[in-house]
Amino acid sequence: MNKKGFFIKRLSLTGSSGIKSEVEFEKGLNVIVGPTNTGKSYIFECINFMLGGKDTPDEIEEAKDYETAYLEIESFEGRTYTFERSLAGGGIKKYNCALSDVTITSKYKELSPRHGVNNKSLSEFLLSLSGFKETDLLVKKNQKNDLQKFTYRSYNDWILIDEITIITKRSPVESDSNQTKTAKESGFNLILTNKDDSEKVKKHTDIVKKPKYEAQIEMIDKIISELELNISTNEILESQDDLVMRIKELTKVKLGIKNEIDELSNLRKKRWNEIQRYETKVLTLNELLKRFQLLRTQYETDKKRITFLLEGEYYFSLLNFEKCPTCNQTINSNEESACSHLELEQKRESYNMEWNKIHHYQEDLTNTIETMEEEVGVHNDTLNKLEYDYGEISRVLDEELEPKFMGIETEIFSIIETQKAIDEAQQKENTLNTILSQKKGLLSLLGEESESQNEDIDVIDYSAYYNDLCINIKYYLKGWNYEGHDKVEFNEKNKDIVISGKPRKLFGKGYRSISYSAFVLGVMRYCNSKNLPHPGFVVLDSPVTSYKEEDSDDDKSSDEVQENFFRFLAENSQSSQVIILENKKPSKEINKINLIEFTKSDISGRYGFITSGEMNDDQ
């Protein structure tokens, strides 16, 4: 049996808030059952998306907080890989380890979801994992013998079967578009023979077309020359991973400097407010000191006036008289005066009291002035320190941090420009490789030797391959006790099987879905039995309950066939993997099933794939 291929181990969705929803699979038969709107079809979409599908899973309300999908696979040789992809689309990260071992420091390889060159795409990797020694395979694109690449996505029609396709009357080999009809049939023949169409198409080259092909090759050579001149090898020397890592490092440093600038800017603002506050205090104190100085001068003047009055008493005593300040009568010093308003002793005492009072006020004022002057001195010292701090902070901001910040921004911008240059170079390189591939196709049509145009055309007889395929399809139909399983033939014209003389498309929905399942399972068993490349697994959406309750009995498969369907697959799928998404639960008596059940209940079992409410998909 073929040991190539792989099987799916785990599908996981995560969000930035730490939420996670996942399902685990095993080799052999896996059945996910549950009512409608529990997420089964969403699982199908996610698997398809993680294996290179261009369509992102439906944007359902329950998954709005999920950002990233992971798919863990294991080769039949025992190697484990994990794919990571944004649910918004884009490239795929491949880790060479299990999902549980993936950390933020784990190394990975970026893979393109599109079939490319130099083993940089998911398609090349999965084709190699499926057993293809060469991944640069070509199949006929149309009846004109134009060629196109055979990719891993070409396997989809025989691996991932959705609930619409599984009941179709159309042949599994027949395309739903005339533009892809030839390519799909050629891909099917490649799967059965492991031979592409490059040599066969080469022998069908029409000599009449030779000048046209030669002219195309000449034009392509000119384009190739121009591209080779425009592609600078220096542009692609640096790794994109290294540049991304450098940007992350610089962004981290930039953030640190930005935080430091913000802290110092806030501190400078604080110092500026403190400077303004202390300048206001000093200005206020100086204004008060000016007033107090004037008051002190006034006190000095008053004391001098009173001293003069006290000293002047002596001189007044030498006079024979003096005038009363109240009544202006003459006051004699030696005889009793007629004026009773003033006595000299009383006047002297009042002068002394007034002088003492002014002197006391003056002392208090002097103490106050000294205290205020000291306070002004302290404030000026604080102000000088604040102004020094403000100047130092401004210097660090203007001369150190701001230039560093601008330097890092300039370097990041330079790296981004380098990334753009690398992207442009890679685009040129990809364009060049595409054109080289086209040239290779044209050369294959022309042939390396002119004698090849005169060789007899080899017509491959696929009937033997189709007969062997029917044996493997019959293996499943017989195991399920499908009506008419004794005789299974392949109609080469319609590219579909005929069961006991009845074309597959004439059966009802239920039996069509069962026979479609037998077809794709038969392809896998056929490849395994002949040691041909095959991924090693099949995913079937609603193969048993593909019909609706209101459909006629002719559209419904029997309960016996449905029961045998699960029982036989459980016993005969251990060397590969079959994943079934169903509404109907297999019998409890059937063993060897990895059963995952969604209950759509908040009180028992698991609600669905994503447990936050009802799903909006068809399953």
Side-chain angles (χ1 to χ4, degrees):
M1 298 295 284
N2 181 22
K3 291 299 181 181
K4 296 293 183 180
F6 59 93
F7 64 96
I8 299 171
K9 292 191 68 177
R10 186 191 309 264
L11 171 67
S12 180
L13 306 183
T14 64
S16 58
S17 61
I19 56 175
K20 179 170 70 173
S21 290
E22 64 180 25
V23 286
E24 296 183 11
F25 302 97
E26 299 175 1
K27 278 200 297 187
L29 180 60
N30 299 261
V31 180
I32 301 178
V33 297
T36 300
N37 296 333
T38 53
K40 300 189 299 298
S41 290
Y42 192 75
I43 291 174
F44 184 94
E45 293 173 4
C46 287
I47 293 175
N48 180 45
F49 176 66
M50 294 304 293
L51 292 176
K54 65 178 180 179
D55 295 330
T56 59
D58 287 343
E59 296 181 1
I60 58 175
E61 178 67 20
E62 289 73 19
K64 66 179 181 179
D65 295 326
Y66 290 85
E67 301 168 354
T68 309
Y70 296 89
L71 188 72
E72 180 183 334
I73 65 171
E74 181 179 330
S75 72
F76 287 110
E77 293 178 340
R79 295 189 298 272
T80 302
Y81 305 95
T82 298
F83 302 132
E84 176 187 342
R85 192 177 188 186
S86 168
L87 286 171
I92 298 166
K93 296 178 181 179
K94 176 178 75 73
Y95 300 90
N96 295 337
C97 62
L99 175 57
S100 58
D101 296 328
V102 173
T103 65
I104 57 174
T105 60
S106 297
K107 294 183 179 180
Y108 60 84
K109 183 177 181 180
E110 284 278 0
L111 298 178
S112 169
R114 299 184 62 183
H115 192 91
V117 293
N118 300 329
N119 293 323
K120 291 182 179 178
S121 75
L122 179 67
S123 176
E124 275 93 355
F125 175 71
L126 293 178
L127 283 177
S128 177
L129 206 60
S130 300
F132 283 96
K133 295 180 180 179
E134 298 290 336
T135 58
D136 195 16
L137 301 169
L138 299 172
V139 293
K140 288 174 60 176
K141 182 179 180 180
N142 49 43
Q143 293 301 319
K144 297 178 181 179
N145 289 328
D146 293 332
L147 296 174
Q148 70 178 36
K149 284 190 175 182
F150 177 83
T151 71
Y152 180 79
R153 299 299 297 172
S154 303
Y155 262 120
N156 258 14
D157 295 311
W158 298 282
I159 296 175
L160 299 170
I161 315 301
D162 61 43
E163 60 182 347
I164 302 300
T165 303
I166 204 164
I167 60 173
T168 182
K169 293 183 178 182
R170 190 177 63 248
S171 161
V173 185
E174 183 182 350
S175 174
D176 56 358
S177 170
N178 289 330
Q179 293 180 341
T180 58
K181 178 180 179 181
T182 301
K184 186 172 180 180
E185 291 180 5
S186 299
F188 178 65
N189 292 333
L190 185 151
I191 291 173
L192 296 184
T193 63
N194 198 22
K195 295 178 182 179
D196 71 354
D197 290 332
S198 57
E199 290 298 322
K200 181 173 62 175
V201 171
K202 177 179 168 183
K203 293 181 179 181
H204 282 74
T205 304
D206 189 349
I207 192 169
V208 177
K209 296 181 180 179
K210 182 176 180 180
K212 181 181 74 172
Y213 293 145
E214 288 176 342
Q216 290 178 356
I217 290 174
E218 183 179 355
M219 182 174 63
I220 285 174
D221 283 337
K222 290 181 181 179
I223 297 174
I224 289 173
S225 298
E226 292 176 1
L227 284 172
E228 288 176 340
L229 287 174
N230 291 330
I231 294 177
S232 170
T233 55
N234 292 330
E235 291 178 338
I236 56 176
L237 289 178
E238 291 189 77
S239 167
Q240 283 280 25
D241 292 341
D242 294 338
L243 293 178
V244 171
M245 184 61 67
R246 180 60 180 157
I247 287 178
K248 288 182 178 179
E249 292 173 355
L250 288 173
T251 302
K252 185 177 180 180
V253 174
K254 176 183 172 183
L255 181 61
I257 294 175
K258 180 67 168 57
N259 291 336
E260 193 172 353
I261 288 175
D262 291 341
E263 290 177 3
L264 286 180
S265 296
N266 291 332
L267 182 58
R268 181 168 66 173
K269 182 178 180 181
K270 180 180 178 182
R271 289 289 182 268
W272 175 254
N273 291 333
E274 291 175 343
I275 288 171
Q276 297 300 310
R277 189 168 68 253
Y278 275 96
E279 284 182 342
T280 301
K281 287 183 178 180
V282 170
L283 182 62
T284 301
L285 289 173
N286 283 330
E287 286 297 322
L288 286 174
L289 281 172
K290 288 180 182 179
R291 295 182 183 182
F292 288 170
Q293 292 289 357
L294 290 174
L295 181 60
R296 184 163 63 178
T297 301
Q298 182 66 43
Y299 283 163
E300 287 290 341
T301 302
D302 289 344
K303 286 175 67 177
K304 287 179 181 180
R305 177 180 58 77
I306 295 172
T307 301
F308 172 77
L309 291 174
L310 288 172
E311 291 177 350
E313 181 183 354
Y314 167 73
Y315 297 103
F316 283 121
S317 65
L318 297 179
L319 297 176
N320 292 325
F321 66 90
E322 63 177 305
K323 297 288 185 179
C324 173
T326 302
C327 63
N328 202 32
Q329 291 186 21
T330 299
I331 302 173
N332 293 321
S333 57
N334 296 325
E335 58 185 40
E336 187 175 345
S337 172
C339 175
S340 61
H341 291 104
L342 181 67
E343 294 185 5
L344 294 178
E345 189 62 32
Q346 181 181 3
K347 182 172 63 173
R348 187 182 302 111
E349 183 178 353
S350 67
Y351 288 161
N352 284 325
M353 289 178 63
E354 181 69 16
W355 191 93
N356 289 331
K357 182 176 70 174
I358 292 173
H359 180 73
H360 176 71
Y361 287 163
Q362 188 179 25
E363 285 182 344
D364 287 345
L365 182 60
T366 300
N367 291 335
T368 301
I369 290 173
E370 290 176 354
T371 301
M372 290 178 66
E373 287 176 341
E374 289 178 0
E375 188 175 353
V376 169
V378 172
H379 287 345
N380 280 328
D381 290 341
T382 303
L383 190 58
N384 290 334
K385 184 177 182 305
L386 290 172
E387 289 175 343
Y388 176 80
D389 288 348
Y390 181 85
E392 281 297 302
I393 293 171
S394 297
R395 184 189 63 78
V396 172
L397 284 172
D398 298 338
E399 299 179 10
E400 296 180 14
L401 295 180
E402 290 289 351
K404 275 186 183 179
F405 187 83
M406 294 302 296
I408 290 176
E409 281 198 330
T410 301
E411 187 174 353
I412 290 175
F413 178 78
S414 176
I415 293 175
I416 292 173
E417 290 298 312
T418 302
Q419 284 182 313
K420 290 181 180 178
I422 292 175
D423 288 339
E424 289 176 1
Q426 288 176 340
Q427 289 175 3
K428 293 175 184 176
E429 187 181 16
N430 291 338
T431 302
L432 178 60
N433 289 324
T434 300
I435 294 175
L436 287 172
S437 176
Q438 292 174 352
K439 179 180 178 181
K440 178 183 176 182
L442 290 172
L443 289 173
S444 69
L445 292 174
L446 286 172
E448 296 180 356
E449 300 178 2
S450 59
E451 295 85 21
S452 63
Q453 296 174 353
N454 299 320
E455 292 178 1
D456 293 334
I457 296 176
D458 294 333
V459 179
I460 298 178
D461 183 6
Y462 289 104
S463 59
Y465 298 102
Y466 296 151
N467 289 336
D468 286 346
L469 173 61
C470 286
I471 292 173
N472 288 278
I473 295 174
K474 179 180 177 180
Y475 170 80
Y476 288 101
L477 294 178
K478 181 179 179 181
W480 300 334
N481 197 24
Y482 190 97
E483 179 184 354
H485 63 77
D486 293 335
K487 188 177 182 181
V488 179
E489 299 172 301
F490 191 86
N491 186 313
E492 294 192 35
K493 180 181 178 180
N494 296 326
K495 294 293 186 295
D496 204 349
I497 56 174
V498 178
I499 304 172
S500 291
K502 184 177 180 179
R504 191 192 67 85
K505 67 179 181 179
L506 297 182
F507 286 83
K509 286 182 183 178
Y511 284 98
R512 282 203 305 272
S513 62
I514 296 290
S515 58
Y516 202 116
S517 302
F519 194 104
V520 294
L521 290 168
V523 170
M524 180 169 67
R525 189 172 188 272
Y526 167 91
C527 292
N528 289 340
S529 65
K530 294 185 176 294
N531 202 28
L532 295 174
H534 191 280
F537 71 94
V538 168
V539 181
L540 304 173
D541 191 354
S542 305
V544 172
T545 56
S546 53
Y547 52 84
K548 297 180 180 179
E549 291 300 327
E550 61 268 20
D551 289 338
S552 66
D553 291 340
D554 292 338
D555 281 322
K556 301 177 183 179
S557 55
S558 67
D559 292 339
E560 179 189 1
V561 170
Q562 293 179 15
E563 186 72 7
N564 290 336
F565 180 84
F566 290 115
R567 189 185 306 279
F568 188 76
L569 287 179
E571 295 293 335
N572 297 278
S573 301
Q574 300 305 308
S575 61
S576 56
Q577 185 183 55
V578 179
I579 298 175
I580 295 176
L581 309 168
E582 259 300 342
N583 290 334
K584 183 174 182 178
K585 185 177 180 180
S587 171
K588 294 181 179 180
E589 299 175 357
I590 302 177
N591 298 318
K592 298 181 181 180
I593 296 181
N594 176 35
L595 182 64
I596 302 170
E597 184 176 4
F598 300 148
T599 62
K600 202 176 182 180
S601 170
D602 293 322
I603 59 175
S604 65
R606 178 173 176 176
Y607 187 97
F609 177 43
I610 299 175
T611 57
S612 58
E614 295 186 356
M615 303 295 293
N616 293 327
D617 61 334
D618 293 335
Q619 280 289 350

